[in-house]
Amino acid sequence: AQKVTQAQTEISVVEKEDVTLDCVYETRDTTYYLFWYKQPPSGELVFLIRRNSFDEQNEISGRYSWNFQKSTSSFNFTITASQVVDSAVYFCALSEGGYSSASKIIFGSGTRLSIRP
Amino acid sequence: NAGVTQTPKFQVLKTGQSMTLQCAQDMNHEYMSWYRQDPGMGLRLIHYSVGAGITDQGEVPNGYNVSRSTTEDFPLRLLSAAPSQTSVYFCASSLRLAGAGYEQYFGPGTRLTVT
């Protein structure tokens, strides 16, 4: 069965600090997809990244970076030089491969990130 | 191109009332889903559909019905509202990309309160 664990319920850091959000997943499939979404205070869900299970390359996008490690079933998200606008709830999500995988994305419980000026 | 639209944005129901949350997408996506979001619990999948005429249950289907008569629309019906169904509801649609997984698009959400 699928499961996504985000053990950090809330994180608060001072602006310009680096912060890492942890995500640990469980799946029996060899083909699966991992995602990160951002939910700012306005409430919409913003897609950040998708990663295929066959692609373990880490990814960097500006101040954001993602570390995917199959050996530890983790897909961690780091924000470098955090800014107040990064304050949001961040969700990690997992979907197993298969015909209906696009519709069965399972979410973690989210990490509320607060960046203090 | 409006993406995924949901109506209404806010709704208050009394216990026992029924209603339908509307969801529509204009991207010709095959896959659509309904999630509910409760504090501290992330998003939980209610029902999903892999195409017109095909639906299936997610994690928390009890108390909800869905149908998919067209590619564009995926309404969610609350049969007899209960206070436990107070939540924010998100509809999503996704497009499978050849060899690269897929992209999921979320609607803006419907905030439902059952008193």
Side-chain angles (χ1 to χ4, degrees), chain A residues 33 35 37 39 43 45 47 50 91 95 98-109, chain B residues 31-33 35 37 40 42-43 45 48-50 59 90 94 96 100-104 106:
Chain A
Y33 304 98
F35 306 82
Y37 288 86
Q39 188 175 42
L45 284 157
F47 168 84
R50 173 188 68 243
F91 292 100
S95 183
Y99 178 61
S100 66
S101 64
S103 291
K104 285 183 68 177
I105 294 182
I106 303 298
F107 286 78
S109 55
Chain B
Y31 307 94
M32 297 186 74
S33 316
Y35 295 85
Q37 183 178 22
L43 282 83
L45 182 66
Y48 65 98
S49 168
V50 299
E59 299 174 79
F90 286 97
S94 58
R96 185 176 287 278
Y102 49 89
E103 295 238 345
Q104 181 130 335
F106 284 88

CSV table of all heavy atoms in Angstrom, one decimal, chain A residues 33 35 37 39 43 45 47 50 91 95 98-109, chain B residues 31-33 35 37 40 42-43 45 48-50 59 90 94 96 100-104 106:
chain,number,residue,atom,x,y,z
A,33,TYR,N,5.6,7.8,-9.0
A,33,TYR,CA,5.9,9.2,-9.2
A,33,TYR,C,5.8,9.9,-7.8
A,33,TYR,O,5.0,9.6,-7.0
A,33,TYR,CB,4.9,9.8,-10.2
A,33,TYR,CG,4.9,9.1,-11.5
A,33,TYR,CD1,3.9,8.2,-11.8
A,33,TYR,CD2,5.9,9.4,-12.4
A,33,TYR,CE1,3.9,7.5,-13.0
A,33,TYR,CE2,5.9,8.7,-13.7
A,33,TYR,CZ,4.9,7.8,-13.9
A,33,TYR,OH,4.9,7.1,-15.1
A,35,PHE,N,5.8,13.8,-5.9
A,35,PHE,CA,5.5,15.2,-6.2
A,35,PHE,C,5.7,16.1,-4.9
A,35,PHE,O,5.7,15.6,-3.8
A,35,PHE,CB,4.0,15.4,-6.5
A,35,PHE,CG,3.5,14.5,-7.6
A,35,PHE,CD1,3.2,13.1,-7.4
A,35,PHE,CD2,3.4,15.0,-8.9
A,35,PHE,CE1,2.8,12.3,-8.5
A,35,PHE,CE2,3.0,14.2,-10.0
A,35,PHE,CZ,2.6,12.9,-9.7
A,37,TYR,N,3.9,19.8,-3.6
A,37,TYR,CA,3.0,20.9,-3.9
A,37,TYR,C,3.1,21.9,-2.8
A,37,TYR,O,3.4,21.6,-1.6
A,37,TYR,CB,1.5,20.4,-3.9
A,37,TYR,CG,1.2,19.6,-5.1
A,37,TYR,CD1,1.4,18.2,-5.1
A,37,TYR,CD2,0.5,20.1,-6.2
A,37,TYR,CE1,1.0,17.4,-6.2
A,37,TYR,CE2,0.2,19.4,-7.3
A,37,TYR,CZ,0.4,18.0,-7.3
A,37,TYR,OH,0.1,17.3,-8.4
A,39,GLN,N,1.0,25.0,-0.8
A,39,GLN,CA,-0.3,25.6,-0.6
A,39,GLN,C,-0.1,26.9,0.2
A,39,GLN,O,0.0,26.9,1.4
A,39,GLN,CB,-1.2,24.7,0.1
A,39,GLN,CG,-2.7,25.2,0.2
A,39,GLN,CD,-3.6,24.2,0.9
A,39,GLN,OE1,-3.3,23.5,1.8
A,39,GLN,NE2,-4.8,24.1,0.3
A,43,GLY,N,-4.7,29.4,-0.3
A,43,GLY,CA,-5.4,28.1,-0.4
A,43,GLY,C,-5.3,27.3,-1.6
A,43,GLY,O,-5.6,26.1,-1.6
A,45,LEU,N,-3.5,25.1,-4.6
A,45,LEU,CA,-2.4,24.1,-4.6
A,45,LEU,C,-1.5,24.3,-5.8
A,45,LEU,O,-2.0,24.3,-7.0
A,45,LEU,CB,-3.0,22.7,-4.7
A,45,LEU,CG,-3.5,22.2,-3.3
A,45,LEU,CD1,-4.5,21.1,-3.6
A,45,LEU,CD2,-2.4,21.7,-2.4
A,47,PHE,N,1.7,23.2,-8.0
A,47,PHE,CA,2.6,22.1,-8.4
A,47,PHE,C,4.0,22.6,-8.4
A,47,PHE,O,4.3,23.7,-9.0
A,47,PHE,CB,2.2,21.6,-9.7
A,47,PHE,CG,3.1,20.6,-10.4
A,47,PHE,CD1,3.1,19.3,-10.0
A,47,PHE,CD2,4.1,21.1,-11.3
A,47,PHE,CE1,4.0,18.4,-10.7
A,47,PHE,CE2,4.9,20.2,-11.9
A,47,PHE,CZ,4.9,18.9,-11.6
A,50,ARG,N,7.6,17.1,-10.2
A,50,ARG,CA,7.3,15.7,-10.3
A,50,ARG,C,8.6,14.9,-10.6
A,50,ARG,O,9.5,15.4,-11.3
A,50,ARG,CB,6.4,15.5,-11.5
A,50,ARG,CG,6.1,14.1,-11.9
A,50,ARG,CD,5.3,13.9,-13.2
A,50,ARG,NE,6.1,14.3,-14.3
A,50,ARG,CZ,5.9,15.4,-15.1
A,50,ARG,NH1,4.8,16.1,-14.9
A,50,ARG,NH2,6.7,15.6,-16.2
A,91,PHE,N,3.2,20.0,0.6
A,91,PHE,CA,2.8,18.6,0.6
A,91,PHE,C,3.7,17.8,-0.3
A,91,PHE,O,4.0,18.2,-1.4
A,91,PHE,CB,1.3,18.5,0.1
A,91,PHE,CG,0.3,19.1,1.0
A,91,PHE,CD1,-0.2,20.3,0.8
A,91,PHE,CD2,-0.1,18.3,2.1
A,91,PHE,CE1,-1.2,20.9,1.6
A,91,PHE,CE2,-1.1,18.9,3.0
A,91,PHE,CZ,-1.6,20.1,2.7
A,95,SER,N,2.4,8.7,-6.3
A,95,SER,CA,1.4,7.9,-7.1
A,95,SER,C,2.1,6.7,-7.7
A,95,SER,O,3.2,6.9,-8.2
A,95,SER,CB,0.8,8.8,-8.1
A,95,SER,OG,-0.2,8.0,-8.9
A,98,GLY,N,0.7,2.7,-13.3
A,98,GLY,CA,-0.5,1.9,-13.6
A,98,GLY,C,-1.5,2.8,-14.4
A,98,GLY,O,-1.3,4.0,-14.4
A,99,TYR,N,-2.5,2.1,-14.8
A,99,TYR,CA,-3.5,2.8,-15.7
A,99,TYR,C,-4.1,4.0,-15.0
A,99,TYR,O,-4.3,5.0,-15.6
A,99,TYR,CB,-4.6,1.8,-16.1
A,99,TYR,CG,-5.7,2.4,-16.9
A,99,TYR,CD1,-5.4,2.9,-18.2
A,99,TYR,CD2,-7.0,2.4,-16.5
A,99,TYR,CE1,-6.4,3.5,-18.9
A,99,TYR,CE2,-8.0,2.9,-17.3
A,99,TYR,CZ,-7.7,3.5,-18.5
A,99,TYR,OH,-8.7,4.0,-19.2
A,100,SER,N,-4.5,3.8,-13.7
A,100,SER,CA,-5.2,4.9,-13.1
A,100,SER,C,-4.3,5.8,-12.1
A,100,SER,O,-4.7,6.5,-11.3
A,100,SER,CB,-6.3,4.4,-12.2
A,100,SER,OG,-5.8,3.6,-11.2
A,101,SER,N,-3.0,5.6,-12.3
A,101,SER,CA,-2.1,6.3,-11.3
A,101,SER,C,-2.2,7.8,-11.4
A,101,SER,O,-2.0,8.4,-10.3
A,101,SER,CB,-0.6,5.9,-11.6
A,101,SER,OG,-0.2,6.4,-12.9
A,102,ALA,N,-2.6,8.3,-12.5
A,102,ALA,CA,-2.8,9.8,-12.5
A,102,ALA,C,-3.8,10.3,-11.6
A,102,ALA,O,-3.7,11.4,-11.1
A,102,ALA,CB,-3.1,10.2,-13.9
A,103,SER,N,-4.8,9.4,-11.3
A,103,SER,CA,-5.9,9.9,-10.4
A,103,SER,C,-5.7,9.5,-9.0
A,103,SER,O,-6.3,10.1,-8.1
A,103,SER,CB,-7.2,9.3,-10.9
A,103,SER,OG,-7.5,9.9,-12.1
A,104,LYS,N,-4.8,8.6,-8.7
A,104,LYS,CA,-4.6,8.2,-7.3
A,104,LYS,C,-3.3,8.7,-6.7
A,104,LYS,O,-2.5,7.9,-6.4
A,104,LYS,CB,-4.7,6.6,-7.2
A,104,LYS,CG,-6.1,6.1,-7.4
A,104,LYS,CD,-6.1,4.6,-7.3
A,104,LYS,CE,-5.8,4.1,-5.9
A,104,LYS,NZ,-5.9,2.7,-5.8
A,105,ILE,N,-3.3,9.9,-6.5
A,105,ILE,CA,-2.1,10.5,-5.8
A,105,ILE,C,-2.4,10.6,-4.4
A,105,ILE,O,-3.5,11.0,-3.9
A,105,ILE,CB,-1.8,11.9,-6.4
A,105,ILE,CG1,-1.4,11.9,-7.8
A,105,ILE,CG2,-0.8,12.6,-5.5
A,105,ILE,CD1,-1.0,13.2,-8.4
A,106,ILE,N,-1.5,10.0,-3.6
A,106,ILE,CA,-1.7,10.0,-2.1
A,106,ILE,C,-0.8,11.1,-1.5
A,106,ILE,O,0.4,11.1,-1.8
A,106,ILE,CB,-1.4,8.6,-1.5
A,106,ILE,CG1,-2.2,7.5,-2.2
A,106,ILE,CG2,-1.5,8.6,0.0
A,106,ILE,CD1,-3.7,7.7,-2.0
A,107,PHE,N,-1.4,11.9,-0.6
A,107,PHE,CA,-0.6,13.0,-0.1
A,107,PHE,C,-0.2,12.7,1.4
A,107,PHE,O,-0.8,12.0,2.1
A,107,PHE,CB,-1.5,14.3,0.0
A,107,PHE,CG,-1.7,14.9,-1.4
A,107,PHE,CD1,-2.6,14.4,-2.3
A,107,PHE,CD2,-1.0,16.0,-1.7
A,107,PHE,CE1,-2.8,14.9,-3.5
A,107,PHE,CE2,-1.2,16.6,-3.0
A,107,PHE,CZ,-2.0,16.1,-3.9
A,108,GLY,N,1.0,13.3,1.7
A,108,GLY,CA,1.3,13.4,3.1
A,108,GLY,C,0.5,14.4,3.8
A,108,GLY,O,-0.3,15.1,3.2
A,109,SER,N,0.7,14.5,5.1
A,109,SER,CA,-0.2,15.4,5.9
A,109,SER,C,0.3,16.8,5.9
A,109,SER,O,-0.4,17.7,6.4
A,109,SER,CB,-0.2,14.9,7.4
A,109,SER,OG,1.1,14.8,7.9
B,31,TYR,N,-8.2,12.0,-16.8
B,31,TYR,CA,-8.2,11.6,-15.4
B,31,TYR,C,-8.7,12.8,-14.6
B,31,TYR,O,-8.3,13.9,-14.7
B,31,TYR,CB,-6.9,11.2,-14.9
B,31,TYR,CG,-6.2,10.2,-15.7
B,31,TYR,CD1,-5.3,10.5,-16.8
B,31,TYR,CD2,-6.4,8.8,-15.5
B,31,TYR,CE1,-4.7,9.5,-17.5
B,31,TYR,CE2,-5.8,7.9,-16.2
B,31,TYR,CZ,-5.0,8.2,-17.3
B,31,TYR,OH,-4.4,7.3,-18.0
B,32,MET,N,-9.7,12.5,-13.7
B,32,MET,CA,-10.2,13.5,-12.7
B,32,MET,C,-10.3,12.9,-11.4
B,32,MET,O,-10.6,11.7,-11.2
B,32,MET,CB,-11.5,14.1,-13.2
B,32,MET,CG,-11.3,14.9,-14.5
B,32,MET,SD,-12.8,15.7,-15.0
B,32,MET,CE,-12.8,17.1,-13.9
B,33,SER,N,-10.2,13.7,-10.3
B,33,SER,CA,-10.3,13.2,-9.0
B,33,SER,C,-10.9,14.2,-8.0
B,33,SER,O,-11.0,15.4,-8.4
B,33,SER,CB,-8.9,13.0,-8.4
B,33,SER,OG,-8.0,12.3,-9.3
B,35,TYR,N,-10.7,15.3,-3.9
B,35,TYR,CA,-10.0,15.2,-2.6
B,35,TYR,C,-10.7,16.1,-1.6
B,35,TYR,O,-11.3,17.1,-1.9
B,35,TYR,CB,-8.6,15.7,-2.7
B,35,TYR,CG,-7.7,14.9,-3.6
B,35,TYR,CD1,-7.6,15.2,-5.0
B,35,TYR,CD2,-6.8,13.9,-3.1
B,35,TYR,CE1,-6.8,14.4,-5.8
B,35,TYR,CE2,-6.0,13.2,-3.9
B,35,TYR,CZ,-6.0,13.5,-5.3
B,35,TYR,OH,-5.2,12.7,-6.1
B,37,GLN,N,-9.7,18.1,2.1
B,37,GLN,CA,-8.6,18.5,2.9
B,37,GLN,C,-9.1,18.9,4.3
B,37,GLN,O,-9.9,19.9,4.4
B,37,GLN,CB,-7.8,19.7,2.3
B,37,GLN,CG,-6.6,20.1,3.1
B,37,GLN,CD,-5.8,21.2,2.5
B,37,GLN,OE1,-6.3,22.0,1.7
B,37,GLN,NE2,-4.6,21.3,2.8
B,40,GLY,N,-4.4,19.2,9.3
B,40,GLY,CA,-3.5,18.2,9.8
B,40,GLY,C,-3.5,16.8,9.1
B,40,GLY,O,-2.8,15.9,9.5
B,42,GLY,N,-3.7,16.5,5.5
B,42,GLY,CA,-3.3,16.6,4.1
B,42,GLY,C,-4.6,16.4,3.2
B,42,GLY,O,-5.7,16.8,3.6
B,43,LEU,N,-4.4,15.9,2.0
B,43,LEU,CA,-5.5,15.7,1.1
B,43,LEU,C,-5.8,14.2,1.0
B,43,LEU,O,-4.9,13.4,0.8
B,43,LEU,CB,-5.2,16.2,-0.3
B,43,LEU,CG,-5.3,17.7,-0.5
B,43,LEU,CD1,-4.1,18.4,0.0
B,43,LEU,CD2,-5.6,18.1,-1.9
B,45,LEU,N,-8.1,11.2,-0.9
B,45,LEU,CA,-8.8,10.9,-2.1
B,45,LEU,C,-10.2,10.4,-1.9
B,45,LEU,O,-10.3,9.4,-1.1
B,45,LEU,CB,-8.0,10.0,-3.0
B,45,LEU,CG,-8.5,9.6,-4.3
B,45,LEU,CD1,-8.5,10.8,-5.3
B,45,LEU,CD2,-7.7,8.5,-5.0
B,48,TYR,N,-12.3,8.9,-7.9
B,48,TYR,CA,-11.5,9.3,-9.1
B,48,TYR,C,-12.1,8.6,-10.3
B,48,TYR,O,-12.9,7.7,-10.2
B,48,TYR,CB,-10.0,9.0,-9.0
B,48,TYR,CG,-9.7,7.5,-8.9
B,48,TYR,CD1,-9.3,6.8,-10.0
B,48,TYR,CD2,-9.8,6.8,-7.7
B,48,TYR,CE1,-9.0,5.5,-10.0
B,48,TYR,CE2,-9.5,5.5,-7.6
B,48,TYR,CZ,-9.1,4.8,-8.8
B,48,TYR,OH,-8.8,3.4,-8.7
B,49,SER,N,-11.7,9.2,-11.5
B,49,SER,CA,-12.2,8.7,-12.7
B,49,SER,C,-11.1,8.6,-13.8
B,49,SER,O,-10.3,9.6,-13.9
B,49,SER,CB,-13.4,9.6,-13.2
B,49,SER,OG,-13.7,9.3,-14.6
B,50,VAL,N,-11.0,7.6,-14.5
B,50,VAL,CA,-10.0,7.4,-15.5
B,50,VAL,C,-10.5,7.7,-16.9
B,50,VAL,O,-9.8,7.6,-17.9
B,50,VAL,CB,-9.3,6.1,-15.5
B,50,VAL,CG1,-8.6,5.8,-14.2
B,50,VAL,CG2,-10.3,5.0,-15.8
B,59,GLU,N,-9.7,6.8,-0.9
B,59,GLU,CA,-9.6,6.4,0.5
B,59,GLU,C,-10.8,6.6,1.4
B,59,GLU,O,-11.1,5.8,2.3
B,59,GLU,CB,-8.5,7.3,1.1
B,59,GLU,CG,-7.1,7.2,0.6
B,59,GLU,CD,-6.2,8.3,1.2
B,59,GLU,OE1,-5.8,8.1,2.3
B,59,GLU,OE2,-6.0,9.4,0.6
B,90,PHE,N,-11.3,19.7,-3.1
B,90,PHE,CA,-10.5,20.0,-4.3
B,90,PHE,C,-10.8,19.0,-5.4
B,90,PHE,O,-10.8,17.8,-5.1
B,90,PHE,CB,-9.0,20.0,-4.0
B,90,PHE,CG,-8.5,21.2,-3.2
B,90,PHE,CD1,-8.4,21.1,-1.8
B,90,PHE,CD2,-8.2,22.4,-3.8
B,90,PHE,CE1,-7.9,22.1,-1.1
B,90,PHE,CE2,-7.8,23.5,-3.1
B,90,PHE,CZ,-7.6,23.4,-1.7
B,94,SER,N,-5.8,15.5,-14.6
B,94,SER,CA,-4.4,15.2,-15.0
B,94,SER,C,-4.3,14.7,-16.4
B,94,SER,O,-5.2,14.0,-16.9
B,94,SER,CB,-3.7,14.3,-14.0
B,94,SER,OG,-4.4,13.1,-13.9
B,96,ARG,N,-1.8,12.5,-18.9
B,96,ARG,CA,-0.7,11.6,-19.0
B,96,ARG,C,0.2,12.1,-20.1
B,96,ARG,O,-0.2,12.3,-21.2
B,96,ARG,CB,-1.1,10.2,-19.2
B,96,ARG,CG,0.0,9.2,-19.2
B,96,ARG,CD,-0.5,7.8,-19.4
B,96,ARG,NE,-1.2,7.3,-18.2
B,96,ARG,CZ,-0.6,6.8,-17.2
B,96,ARG,NH1,0.7,6.7,-17.1
B,96,ARG,NH2,-1.3,6.4,-16.1
B,100,ALA,N,6.8,10.5,-19.5
B,100,ALA,CA,7.2,11.5,-18.5
B,100,ALA,C,6.2,11.6,-17.4
B,100,ALA,O,6.3,12.6,-16.7
B,100,ALA,CB,7.5,12.8,-19.1
B,101,GLY,N,5.4,10.6,-17.2
B,101,GLY,CA,4.5,10.7,-16.1
B,101,GLY,C,3.3,11.6,-16.5
B,101,GLY,O,2.8,11.4,-17.6
B,102,TYR,N,2.9,12.4,-15.6
B,102,TYR,CA,1.7,13.2,-15.9
B,102,TYR,C,1.8,14.5,-15.1
B,102,TYR,O,2.5,14.6,-14.1
B,102,TYR,CB,0.5,12.4,-15.6
B,102,TYR,CG,0.5,11.8,-14.3
B,102,TYR,CD1,0.0,12.5,-13.2
B,102,TYR,CD2,1.0,10.6,-14.1
B,102,TYR,CE1,0.1,11.9,-11.9
B,102,TYR,CE2,1.1,10.0,-12.9
B,102,TYR,CZ,0.6,10.6,-11.8
B,102,TYR,OH,0.7,10.1,-10.5
B,103,GLU,N,0.9,15.4,-15.4
B,103,GLU,CA,0.8,16.6,-14.6
B,103,GLU,C,-0.7,16.7,-14.1
B,103,GLU,O,-1.6,16.4,-14.8
B,103,GLU,CB,1.0,17.8,-15.5
B,103,GLU,CG,2.4,17.9,-16.1
B,103,GLU,CD,3.1,19.2,-15.7
B,103,GLU,OE1,2.4,20.2,-15.3
B,103,GLU,OE2,4.3,19.3,-15.9
B,104,GLN,N,-0.8,17.0,-12.8
B,104,GLN,CA,-2.1,17.1,-12.1
B,104,GLN,C,-2.4,18.6,-11.9
B,104,GLN,O,-1.5,19.3,-11.4
B,104,GLN,CB,-2.1,16.4,-10.8
B,104,GLN,CG,-3.4,16.4,-10.1
B,104,GLN,CD,-3.8,15.0,-9.7
B,104,GLN,OE1,-3.5,14.0,-10.3
B,104,GLN,NE2,-4.6,14.9,-8.6
B,106,PHE,N,-5.1,21.3,-10.1
B,106,PHE,CA,-6.1,21.4,-9.1
B,106,PHE,C,-7.0,22.6,-9.3
B,106,PHE,O,-6.6,23.7,-9.8
B,106,PHE,CB,-5.5,21.5,-7.7
B,106,PHE,CG,-5.0,20.2,-7.2
B,106,PHE,CD1,-3.7,19.8,-7.5
B,106,PHE,CD2,-5.8,19.4,-6.4
B,106,PHE,CE1,-3.2,18.6,-7.0
B,106,PHE,CE2,-5.3,18.2,-5.9
B,106,PHE,CZ,-4.0,17.8,-6.2
